[in-house]
Amino acid sequence: MPAVHHKLLLEDALQDSPQTRSLLSVFEEDSGMLTDYTNQLLQTLQRVFGAQSEMGLATEQLSQQLLDYEKKNFALGKGDEEVISTLQNFAKTVGELNSIHSDLASQMADSMVFPLIQFREKDLTEISTLKEIFSIATDEHEAAMVKYSRLPKKKENEKLKADLVKEVAYTRRKQHQASLQYYCALNALQYRKRVAMLEPMLGYTQAQISFFKKGIELVSKKMETFLSSVSKMTQNIQAQLDVEAEAMRTSQKELLSVEDTVYMPDKDTDSFNRTLIQKAGYLNIRNKTGLVTTAWDRLFFFTQGGNLMCQPRGAVAGGMVLDLDNSSVMAVECEDRRYCFQITSPSGKTSMILQAESKKEYEEWICTVNNISRQIYLTDNPEAVAIRLNQTAIQAVTPITSFEKRQEGSPNPDRAKPGGVHASGSDSQKTGAAPEPGDLIAPGTPIQFDIMLPASEFQDQNRSGGRRTNPFGETDECTTENDDSLLQQVFIVRFQGSMAVRCGNNQEVIYEAMRQVLAARAIHNIFRTTESHLMVTSSSLSLIDPQTQVTRISFQLDEVCQFAAHQENGRLMGFVVEGRDWSDGNEEGEPSFSAFVFESNTEGEKICYTINLSKEITEAKKDPEALAKLMKNMPLTNDGKFLLLEPETSNSNTGEGQEDLESEA
């Protein structure tokens, strides 16, 4: 007994994914081919029925003609009585044959032609009608989603939003109902088409056997077994159809008994998952249609390994849109649309802006892309790694009872950092009880993730007669740099963040600032940083914009009271700057401290070593003998400056590669 191996899953009707649409197109193609074949078969069967009907009319006419021979009264008809009697017997026989042919034509009409006409007019017409209803419902849903996607974020109208949400829910429910009915009809068609193909031939054969039954009993007996098996097969298929139809009716009833919130595009009841490494769903993508015009297209996106894929409706497979390895993702404001985010390639040359339909989808897409960009999917157990990283990020904002606990958990807590611990005016730190995090940084202290150059300062540095800092120590006619500067070293760094701290005489305050800055970036999905040049001289620290050569911020060396590199991540370093707070009206001002955290292309130890050497040079300037001794022990360049480290890559020295000014933390 043949079984149906392919069917449309009713559970996939609501999502309406391209995979389901692709499978639906196969069913629709099969339905179209079946319609064409049914029409051709029906024409052939009608021709057979027409021939049989013509045979009945011809035999009836023949019988009448044989009887009319007696009525002709031929002049020379004498002696034709036997002929007339014989013809009458022939007429009777032909009449009986005519009766049998009429019965055969009637049976062909009822059991051969009519079932196929009924299958075409009922089942195939139903499929065509449901297809049109489904198409109309889909277009209405798409139109409703377009209206909803254009809902403004800044000037939000609650009534308009509620109306659009109701409209989206109504059209989505309507589309769901239409798709369920359409899917059920297509699934049932796989059974009905088999019955429709078998029934006409079964009726035709039974009619022919009934026609020849009086003369070919032997033949009829041979056909009865076959016809019986065909009849039994038809009955079994009909029984399967009844069971499947009942199951589909039950499933359809259960799927339609859900709450209306299932159809609403933006419901805030569900919490989002931060540990996803795979994601699929519809997103709006922003495309440029002209120099200043853009258009938004709603497409189905999904992740596959480390790639972002896109699959238009009707396509058999998806195509790669962007490689997500080491990419960056961030929330953006775009055209007053909600839930927009931007994905940028590692080089920064390729980016795309996408829009999710709900807050939950928006958060999950950002977290998923971030997890994939870290190449978690390449590990043996990516789900466990994602969960562990998420827990680490959550714990990062939980206060730690003491620094001793963190150092005990560190793989190498006693790792030495040149210049990692330096207190202003002292050579060593006093050891004692480990301070609490609250003693180092006040709870709730705001964090600044970028250093913005004020417009007035930028204009002052660029107006006529102004000076830009040359980060490579070169001099020209307009340079007013200190000629007695004995040290100049430039490092490529990325500013991670800065925050106010309570003390400046303990390296633990730098570690705590690093922990809070990086934890805040992970929690708030802030992964983009701006590349700058950190220039260390014998008198100051300056952060310089590599494009404009404008100094973003500068500190005198005596203001830097503490600096250290991270104990585990050697590329992280930070320093504490001391200032004065005159808000209390005190003439001398209260001391205030700020911690700055950076990530460098080189080891943070080298930057700390350079800052330490700068401080030694500053102290040695007060004693000429000490300065001479220091210069004697250190190699010098041709112009008399200290030769400290190997120079940075050629891209950093020549200014090349300034297109990639942004990197990931």
Side-chain angles (χ1 to χ4, degrees):
M1 161 171 44
V4 175
H5 299 286
H6 303 285
K7 65 178 182 179
L8 292 166
L9 298 179
L10 302 183
E11 294 80 3
D12 297 339
L14 179 58
Q15 187 181 10
D16 194 24
S17 65
Q19 291 83 355
T20 304
R21 285 294 184 118
S22 180
L23 182 59
L24 176 62
S25 65
V26 176
F27 277 74
E28 291 177 341
E29 181 181 0
D30 185 82
S31 175
M33 295 176 63
L34 179 61
T35 301
D36 296 337
Y37 177 80
T38 301
N39 292 331
Q40 296 174 3
L41 179 61
L42 182 59
Q43 291 178 1
T44 304
L45 294 178
Q46 287 176 340
R47 183 178 179 183
V48 173
F49 169 71
Q52 185 59 45
S53 299
E54 182 66 21
M55 185 66 178
L57 295 174
T59 54
E60 181 181 4
Q61 186 178 2
L62 176 59
S63 176
Q64 187 64 37
Q65 289 292 335
L66 292 176
L67 293 174
D68 289 345
Y69 182 82
E70 183 182 8
K71 299 177 181 180
K72 292 301 180 179
N73 296 320
F74 292 102
L76 301 175
K78 188 178 180 180
D80 291 342
E81 291 78 14
E82 289 185 22
V83 174
I84 293 172
S85 175
T86 303
L87 290 177
Q88 289 177 350
N89 290 330
F90 275 116
K92 182 179 179 181
T93 303
V94 172
E96 292 176 354
L97 290 175
N98 176 52
S99 176
I100 297 175
H101 280 292
S102 298
D103 292 340
L104 178 58
S106 178
Q107 290 180 12
M108 285 184 176
D110 295 337
S111 60
M112 183 180 70
V113 179
F114 178 72
L116 198 59
I117 293 178
Q118 189 178 28
F119 171 72
R120 184 186 68 174
E121 300 300 327
K122 180 181 177 182
D123 297 327
L124 297 181
T125 303
E126 180 186 10
I127 293 294
S128 178
T129 303
L130 290 177
K131 181 179 180 180
E132 293 179 1
I133 295 175
F134 175 70
S135 178
I136 294 173
T138 300
D139 293 339
E140 291 178 353
H141 175 251
E142 290 296 325
M145 284 304 304
V146 170
K147 293 180 182 179
Y148 176 79
S149 299
R150 294 174 179 172
L151 188 66
K153 176 181 178 183
K154 296 181 179 179
K155 297 181 180 179
E156 188 166 328
N157 189 328
E158 294 297 330
K159 183 177 183 304
L160 178 59
K161 179 182 177 182
D163 293 341
L164 291 178
V165 168
K166 290 180 180 179
E167 182 179 355
V168 171
Y170 170 75
T171 56
R172 186 168 291 178
R173 185 182 187 91
K174 182 177 178 181
Q175 183 193 21
H176 191 201
Q177 291 175 341
S179 61
L180 288 176
Q181 295 176 357
Y182 189 31
Y183 289 3
C184 291
L186 288 174
N187 289 336
L189 184 63
Q190 302 307 307
Y191 298 91
R192 292 195 177 101
K193 74 176 182 180
R194 299 186 177 188
V195 176
M197 296 299 105
L198 295 176
E199 277 187 344
M201 297 312 301
L202 179 62
Y204 172 80
T205 308
Q206 288 178 338
Q208 291 291 345
I209 290 177
S210 177
F211 176 76
F212 295 108
K213 191 171 184 180
K214 293 181 180 180
I216 51 171
E217 290 293 336
L218 184 60
V219 176
S220 64
K221 289 180 179 179
K222 292 181 179 179
M223 296 295 294
E224 282 180 357
T225 303
F226 171 73
L227 294 178
S228 177
S229 63
V230 173
S231 178
K232 184 178 180 180
M233 182 189 302
T234 304
Q235 293 174 0
N236 290 335
I237 294 177
Q238 185 64 40
Q240 291 180 7
L241 172 59
D242 295 339
V243 173
E244 184 68 21
E246 182 63 27
M248 288 190 294
R249 283 193 294 270
T250 303
S251 179
Q252 182 178 359
K253 183 178 180 181
E254 292 177 356
L255 292 174
L256 291 176
S257 63
V258 297
E259 298 180 358
D260 292 339
T261 54
V262 175
Y263 301 97
M264 294 182 180
D266 190 7
K267 52 183 184 299
D268 299 328
T269 57
D270 297 337
S271 59
F272 60 91
N273 187 357
R274 292 180 177 270
T275 62
L276 295 175
I277 57 174
Q278 290 182 344
K279 184 68 178 172
Y282 280 99
L283 295 172
N284 292 333
I285 182 172
R286 181 174 178 264
N287 296 318
K288 285 189 176 181
T289 58
L291 294 176
V292 294
T293 58
T294 59
W296 293 81
D297 297 324
R298 188 168 181 260
L299 301 176
F300 188 85
F301 288 85
F302 62 96
T303 61
Q304 188 176 60
N307 300 323
L308 179 64
M309 314 289 288
C310 176
Q311 184 174 0
R313 286 188 178 180
V316 178
M320 191 183 79
V321 178
L322 188 65
D323 185 359
L324 298 179
D325 287 346
N326 299 318
S327 62
S328 63
V329 58
M330 61 184 299
V332 294
E333 297 288 338
C334 185
E335 299 182 6
D336 196 24
R337 284 181 175 239
R338 303 181 302 166
Y339 312 138
C340 293
F341 59 96
Q342 177 175 300
I343 305 176
T344 307
S345 63
S347 63
K349 297 180 180 179
T350 304
S351 65
M352 62 175 58
I353 296 178
L354 303 170
Q355 180 190 18
E357 74 174 33
S358 65
K359 178 69 173 179
K360 179 175 179 292
E361 291 290 308
Y362 163 80
E363 295 287 354
E364 287 187 349
W365 269 107
I366 291 179
C367 293
T368 302
V369 174
N370 178 40
N371 291 337
I372 294 176
S373 68
R374 299 178 181 179
Q375 300 182 347
I376 296 176
Y377 66 94
L378 297 177
T379 60
D380 294 335
N381 192 350
E383 291 80 5
V385 174
I387 294 174
R388 185 168 65 253
L389 290 177
N390 181 57
Q391 291 176 348
T392 303
I394 295 176
Q395 293 173 358
V397 294
T398 304
I400 301 176
T401 56
S402 68
F403 283 95
E404 293 179 351
K405 295 182 180 180
R406 180 169 68 250
Q407 292 178 357
E408 290 173 0
S410 174
N412 48 0
D414 298 328
R415 179 181 176 184
K417 298 288 182 179
V421 181
H422 288 273
S424 178
S426 64
D427 296 333
S428 63
Q429 296 290 341
K430 295 182 179 181
T431 60
E436 298 292 334
D439 298 334
L440 301 175
I441 300 176
T445 301
I447 300 175
Q448 182 176 346
F449 294 110
D450 196 6
I451 299 178
M452 302 301 296
L453 184 65
S456 59
E457 182 178 349
F458 183 84
Q459 294 173 358
D460 290 341
Q461 295 192 27
N462 286 278
R463 64 167 57 113
S464 178
R467 177 182 63 86
R468 291 190 180 186
T469 303
N470 190 331
F472 306 106
E474 300 175 359
T475 58
D476 53 29
E477 296 179 359
C478 299
T479 301
T480 59
E481 208 174 302
N482 222 344
D483 292 333
D484 60 350
S485 178
L486 300 177
L487 173 66
Q488 282 188 348
Q489 185 70 18
V490 177
F491 301 93
I492 299 176
V493 296
R494 287 169 292 279
F495 180 69
Q496 301 295 313
S498 64
M499 59 191 310
V501 297
R502 288 181 168 178
C503 63
N505 59 352
N506 194 326
Q507 69 171 352
E508 299 296 346
V509 72
I510 299 178
Y511 299 147
E512 178 64 17
M514 291 178 179
R515 186 184 69 84
Q516 293 195 19
V517 168
L518 296 182
R521 281 183 171 271
I523 291 298
H524 298 290
N525 296 323
I526 304 175
F527 304 105
R528 173 170 291 185
T529 57
T530 303
E531 191 171 274
S532 302
H533 290 164
L534 177 64
M535 185 169 67
V536 182
T537 69
S538 58
S539 59
S540 65
L541 299 181
S542 301
L543 196 65
I544 302 170
D545 189 312
Q547 268 191 320
T548 63
Q549 302 302 320
V550 173
T551 302
R552 289 178 173 270
I553 192 170
S554 180
F555 304 103
Q556 293 300 316
L557 199 60
D558 55 1
E559 297 176 351
V560 180
C561 57
Q562 187 67 221
F563 51 92
H566 197 277
Q567 292 179 330
E568 298 177 9
N569 186 354
R571 296 170 62 183
L572 286 177
M573 66 82 57
F575 56 82
V576 178
V577 177
E578 181 179 359
R580 292 292 170 178
D581 183 9
W582 288 275
S583 60
D584 295 337
N586 190 350
E587 294 182 358
E588 297 182 356
E590 295 293 331
S592 62
F593 302 94
S594 300
F596 293 80
V597 180
F598 297 88
E599 180 192 30
S600 64
N601 288 352
T602 59
E603 286 289 334
E605 299 178 12
K606 296 182 180 180
I607 302 178
C608 295
Y609 177 82
T610 307
I611 298 176
N612 181 39
L613 181 60
S614 299
K615 284 185 169 290
E616 291 181 359
I617 294 174
T618 301
E619 293 297 326
K621 284 181 180 180
K622 302 176 182 179
D623 186 358
E625 295 182 359
L627 179 60
K629 183 178 180 181
L630 180 62
M631 295 180 65
K632 182 179 180 181
N633 294 332
M634 292 294 297
L636 301 178
T637 60
N638 295 331
D639 56 357
K641 298 180 181 179
F642 285 94
L643 179 63
L644 299 177
L645 307 169
E646 295 181 359
E648 296 283 352
T649 60
S650 59
N651 287 343
S652 63
N653 289 335
T654 60
E656 295 178 357
Q658 291 183 357
E659 296 177 356
D660 303 333
L661 295 177
E662 296 177 346
S663 61
E664 296 304 315

